[in-house]
Amino acid sequence: MKDIRAKILSNKKIRHTYYKMVLDAPYIARTAKPGQFVQIKCSDSLEPFLRRPFSIHRVNGNIEILYETVGKSTEILSRKKEGDFLYILGPLGNGFSLTYDSHPSETRGSKLNLEPRAIIIAGGVGVAPLVYLAEELAKKHIKTIVLIGAKTKDLILCEKDFKKTAHEVYVSTDDGTYGSQGFVSKLFHKILKTVESRFDTVVYVCGPQGMLRCIAEICQERNFECQVSLEEKMACGIGVCLGCVVKTKTGNKLACKDGPVFDSSELLW
Ligand SMILES: Cc1cc2nc3c(=O)[nH]c(=O)nc-3n(C[C@H](O)[C@H](O)[C@H](O)COP(=O)(O)OP(=O)(O)OC[C@H]3O[C@@H](n4cnc5c(N)ncnc54)[C@H](O)[C@@H]3O)c2cc1C
Ligand code: FES
């Protein structure tokens, strides 16, 4: 982890309240894993005082973040220009475990004669850490299915990015204006009825808390490993302030240091 003064290479509105920023941060680009995040000092003044956490959206020599303007810091960020500088601390957190690394196919797949498969589920701006994850899974030739959910058609993010790397991409909107109608958890149920079961499945999910919980329950019924990325409110981002406690079956953990990615079966929801 390093605190870096990074140059903004671009900062563009992609739609509505969503922006993508590219930062010149080669150290973070070299060392970051999917699911890790950076703490950005958004303001040059003391107000807002605290840095804000943002997932590493993509890595390409530089790093990209995808963010939604929801309050003061993100508003300030949206007004930054190419050539401006920001202090960013990272990479932080544990990131997703690409299970197929730590449990090679002899233990997970081949032994049971099952092929590995990833199902990525994104809700709203929860897509942010999952595009980088999909790219890394593609490099490992893991069959990947992506489900993206949003309130309405205009708020669906990163569909094209996922189509470049995933085998199948499905979309749902709450109002039915694009893709399947209803929550992405409903789409997950539907997809599970049609996809083949001859796979050793790991589910990776990021989005609103209610959605995470629903997906975790479905995974538990199916006995799928489910890794959830939590977007708890954070202050320091490095395990010092104890402001991001998450209750788990093995005691309290810190979202910033022990997470933000947790095995859903460990969480006390
Ligand atoms: C590990 C991690 C990764 C994140 N990655 C991204 C990302 O890639 N893109 C992105 O757009 N956002 C991400 N977030 C959320 C982002 O940090 C907040 O939106 C941001 O801090 C808001 O700052 P603000 O000053 O603009 O808003 P504030 O004035 O602080 O808050 C405005 C509103 O947003 C709500 N809010 C603030 N923080 C959070 C949060 N963590 N979760 C849910 N609601 C919140 C507040 O309750 C309030 O209603 C991430 C959060 C975490 C913990
Ligand atoms: S944000 Fe300070 S301990 Fe996690």
Side-chain angles (χ1 to χ4, degrees), residues 34-46:
Q36 287 190 298
F37 67 97
V38 288
Q39 281 275 78
I40 300 187
K41 182 168 176 4
C42 300
S43 165
D44 297 327
S45 67
L46 285 178

Side-chain angles (χ1 to χ4, degrees), residues 18 35 37-38 48 51-57 65-75 125 128-129 229-234 255 260:
Y18 297 108
F37 67 97
V38 288
R51 293 184 185 220
R52 294 293 194 263
F54 297 94
S55 303
I56 295 167
H57 174 56
I65 58 161
L66 166 65
Y67 64 97
E68 181 178 12
T69 50
V70 292
K72 198 153 182 184
S73 296
T74 44
E75 281 295 342
V125 78
S229 179
L230 300 181
E231 295 202 343
E232 293 295 309
K233 288 192 183 159
M234 289 181 184

Side-chain angles (χ1 to χ4, degrees), residues 35-218:
Q36 287 190 298
F37 67 97
V38 288
Q39 281 275 78
I40 300 187
K41 182 168 176 4
C42 300
S43 165
D44 297 327
S45 67
L46 285 178
E47 181 54 34
F49 181 67
L50 295 172
R51 293 184 185 220
R52 294 293 194 263
F54 297 94
S55 303
I56 295 167
H57 174 56
R58 291 188 70 206
V59 163
N60 193 1
N62 311 307
I63 63 162
E64 278 180 37
I65 58 161
L66 166 65
Y67 64 97
E68 181 178 12
T69 50
V70 292
K72 198 153 182 184
S73 296
T74 44
E75 281 295 342
I76 294 171
L77 214 54
S78 71
R79 291 198 299 273
K80 295 284 178 188
K81 300 269 177 289
E82 185 183 325
D84 288 349
F85 286 83
L86 287 172
Y87 279 97
I88 60 172
L89 179 68
L92 301 171
N94 57 355
F96 293 104
S97 142
L98 304 192
T99 317
Y100 314 100
D101 271 349
S102 48
H103 303 276
S105 52
E106 311 86 74
T107 53
R108 287 186 64 87
S110 306
K111 199 169 152 194
L112 303 163
N113 231 355
L114 298 175
E115 222 182 291
R117 170 179 64 190
I119 302 182
I120 290 177
I121 307 179
V125 78
V127 295
L130 300 173
V131 169
Y132 181 24
L133 172 70
E135 289 172 348
E136 289 301 298
L137 289 167
K139 285 185 195 160
K140 293 176 188 302
H141 309 289
I142 305 289
K143 182 178 164 70
T144 303
I145 298 175
V146 175
L147 278 54
I148 315 169
K151 285 188 182 136
T152 189
K153 182 180 179 182
D154 288 350
L155 301 181
I156 291 289
L157 298 168
C158 304
E159 186 184 2
K160 278 191 193 153
D161 295 316
F162 284 124
K163 280 188 169 162
K164 288 182 197 153
T165 51
H167 293 77
E168 294 164 44
V169 178
Y170 300 91
V171 174
S172 70
T173 48
D174 300 356
D175 63 4
T177 44
Y178 187 51
S180 299
Q181 194 269 324
F183 293 149
V184 73
S185 46
K186 183 174 157 193
L187 176 62
F188 185 35
H189 260 304
K190 192 167 137 190
I191 296 302
L192 287 177
K193 281 185 196 148
T194 58
V195 295
E196 295 164 87
S197 57
R198 62 181 174 85
F199 289 95
D200 176 25
T201 304
V202 178
V203 175
Y204 301 92
V205 52
C206 186
Q209 185 81 2
M211 169 201 149
L212 298 183
R213 195 176 172 160
C214 259
I215 301 293
E217 280 168 12
I218 300 170

